[in-house]
Amino acid sequence: MPTEKKRKIIHVDMDAFFASVEQLDHPELRGKPIAVGGNSDRGVVAAASYEARKYGVRSAMSSKVAKRKCPNLIFVKHRFERYKEISAQIRSIFLEYTDLVEPLSLDEAYLDVTYAKKGQPSATLIAKEIRQRIFEETGLTASAGVSYNKFLAKVASDVNKPNGMFVVTPDKAQDFIDQLEIRKFFGIGKVTAKKLNDIGVCYGRDLKMIDRLELTRMFGKAGNYYYNICRGIDNREVQPSRERKSVGAENTFSQDLFLEDELKKELLVIAGKVWERADRSGVKAKTVTLKFKYADFEQHTRSKTIEPYINTKERFITESLKLMKSEGGFIKGIRLLGLTLSNFLHEQEGEIGVQLVIEF
Ligand code: DCP
Ligand code: CA
Ligand code: CA
């Protein structure tokens, strides 16, 4: 067997994640059509329970449309903290089997189990065991796909969703892809799928008829990826998430700023972004750093470290503003402001669970 077909990759994805967590924690919601998201006319559905999906309710649908499709739909407010907690829990299960775990979002990850820690030779059995453990330890169901590369594992995890799994062995891969609808190809977005459908490309086998040159002419670099995946080729490695060292944001202004009030306003916007990112990544930082770039490109940074860590957004803003004040005169004009949070609290220092490094 060619080496690229010898890897064992599992893709695990939780079923109706946010909605299932809400049904788990609120038993009165079980078996009912629920949507996680705002009920207002401007609201959007983040997740729909499988009961709600029967009515056509979907993620990213406006709440207004969702209510029309399912008048009995129950809206529930999201609780990111809780989803992050479960995300950390499933991740620690994954890590028992392999260090090669690459989270794609809070509820899914790729695992390379070619050399699994417990020495189990069968990726299928590992996937089964992991799904079982997730259920026992969280009370939630997950689906899985097993194959020799990321693309196939990812697509496979959708085949028997919810609460199911599917294995694509090397000898079955080409058949599987040939019969796969283009809209189900991971990495082919809605627009591209439509474009392909319009020229009569509806299944993997149709995509294979287009040569590489034509595909790259039509879709640029992505064309190469399409050319490969419809042949079952995807050599991307599972990249274990590295711990992120800092979270930051900055803004370069269209005009240099001189006034403290204007700078303060901009700083608040940047601080809001940084705090949201840190919050979503589940990190707790000790150090805040403010970066200034003057109109003449001279750059200054000022930092402050707080023990045990910066615990609220208000504190973060107060400290950022203090740093700005300490810099003083802005006669030269400021062209860029930036803020970063770093020096994260580590696991052994308590508090924080597994560090999540994924953007949501
Ligand atoms: N999510 C979101 N906004 C979206 C899509 C998803 O906030 N447009 C959130 C809510 C989902 C979670 O991410 O519960 C995971 O997304 P998935 O696409 O994996 O969808 P689900 O887990 O909800 O359902 P499925 O069973 O189809 O995986
Ligand atoms: Ca999911
Ligand atoms: Ca997902």
Side-chain angles (χ1 to χ4, degrees):
M1 207 190 309
T3 48
E4 74 268 14
K5 292 201 170 183
K6 280 189 182 153
R7 288 189 299 159
K8 294 173 188 171
I9 313 292
I10 302 176
H11 177 257
V12 181
D13 184 273
M14 303 296 288
D15 302 320
F17 186 47
F18 293 4
S20 304
V21 174
E22 296 309 326
Q23 290 180 320
L24 175 76
D25 291 351
H26 305 104
E28 71 277 12
L29 297 176
R30 292 182 197 166
K32 299 206 172 125
I34 74 158
V36 176
N39 189 5
S40 77
D41 278 354
R42 290 183 306 115
V44 178
V45 174
S49 70
Y50 275 82
E51 294 84 355
R53 290 186 204 192
K54 284 191 201 133
Y55 296 84
V57 179
R58 297 280 181 274
S59 287
M61 182 178 274
S62 83
S63 301
K64 206 170 161 182
V65 173
K67 269 184 280 186
R68 200 160 61 222
K69 287 187 181 278
C70 178
N72 293 330
L73 190 62
I74 302 167
F75 283 87
V76 187
K77 208 175 161 300
H78 63 70
R79 292 179 300 147
F80 278 114
E81 285 312 311
R82 179 73 174 122
Y83 311 144
K84 279 191 251 176
E85 187 178 280
I86 291 185
S87 186
Q89 243 178 316
I90 63 171
R91 198 144 92 103
S92 70
I93 295 175
F94 299 155
L95 288 168
E96 282 184 39
Y97 294 85
T98 174
D99 288 331
L100 298 176
V101 175
E102 178 182 337
L104 283 179
S105 68
L106 284 181
D107 85 322
E108 66 187 283
Y110 290 116
L111 284 68
D112 184 329
V113 295
T114 314
Y115 306 100
K117 282 183 182 174
K118 302 185 181 190
Q120 295 146 296
S122 162
T124 305
L125 291 181
I126 294 175
K128 217 172 150 181
E129 196 175 300
I130 288 177
R131 292 179 48 239
Q132 180 65 29
R133 294 243 347 245
I134 290 178
F135 184 68
E136 282 164 10
E137 288 171 37
T138 68
L140 298 167
T141 62
S143 298
V146 182
S147 196
Y148 60 86
N149 66 38
K150 282 182 173 182
F151 170 74
L152 287 166
K154 168 87 185 171
V155 175
S157 71
D158 239 9
V159 172
N160 285 323
K161 198 170 237 315
N163 198 14
M165 59 185 274
F166 190 72
V167 183
V168 182
T169 52
D171 56 319
K172 300 262 168 48
Q174 194 58 61
D175 265 355
F176 174 73
I177 300 163
D178 283 348
Q179 293 169 43
L180 190 67
E181 284 178 79
I182 292 300
R183 63 184 181 87
K184 294 197 171 158
F185 273 66
F186 180 64
I188 297 190
K190 273 200 182 122
V191 178
T192 305
K194 169 91 172 50
K195 211 165 153 185
L196 286 166
N197 287 170
D198 285 350
I199 57 165
V201 177
C202 298
Y203 294 92
R205 56 171 176 270
D206 308 326
L207 187 55
K208 227 171 49 186
M209 307 293 282
I210 313 178
D211 66 36
R212 196 192 284 272
L213 210 68
E214 180 65 9
L215 279 174
T216 47
R217 198 191 55 77
M218 287 175 78
F219 303 108
K221 218 178 126 200
N224 241 329
Y225 171 74
Y226 304 159
Y227 181 87
N228 286 333
I229 54 176
C230 66
R231 288 166 176 77
I233 300 167
D234 175 9
N235 294 324
R236 290 172 304 157
E237 280 173 24
V238 172
Q239 296 186 320
S241 51
R242 279 168 299 143
E243 260 186 38
R244 192 193 277 165
K245 295 269 191 283
S246 70
V247 180
E250 55 181 46
N251 193 8
T252 303
F253 310 119
S254 46
Q255 285 182 321
D256 298 336
L257 302 183
F258 297 85
L259 300 173
E260 192 168 322
D261 272 355
E262 282 177 341
L263 285 163
K264 191 175 158 185
K265 218 169 82 193
E266 294 295 340
L267 194 67
L268 291 179
V269 175
I270 298 167
K273 271 189 206 159
V274 175
W275 190 261
E276 191 186 318
R277 281 178 197 168
D279 196 37
R280 285 192 172 183
S281 308
V283 293
K284 292 181 167 56
K286 297 181 187 212
T287 304
V288 47
T289 303
L290 178 64
K291 178 164 112 183
F292 300 90
K293 202 184 263 176
Y294 285 91
D296 61 3
F297 287 85
E298 191 179 302
Q299 192 170 304
H300 291 190
T301 57
R302 282 174 184 268
S303 299
K304 173 88 191 267
T305 297
I306 283 143
E307 295 291 346
Y309 63 90
I310 303 162
N311 63 338
T312 62
K313 186 176 174 184
E314 289 65 39
R315 182 79 197 267
F316 172 49
I317 288 173
T318 314
E319 295 301 334
S320 304
L321 288 171
K322 273 198 219 159
L323 289 173
M324 195 175 90
K325 280 209 164 63
S326 70
E327 174 78 5
F330 308 110
I331 318 156
K332 280 198 277 186
I334 303 279
R335 71 186 316 267
L336 174 150
L337 270 186
L339 274 175
T340 47
L341 279 168
S342 61
N343 204 354
F344 296 146
L345 201 65
H346 290 296
E347 234 174 303
Q348 57 269 30
E349 292 173 68
E351 267 285 348
I352 196 162
V354 175
Q355 285 213 344
L356 295 170
V357 290
I358 39 201
E359 285 294 334
F360 194 62

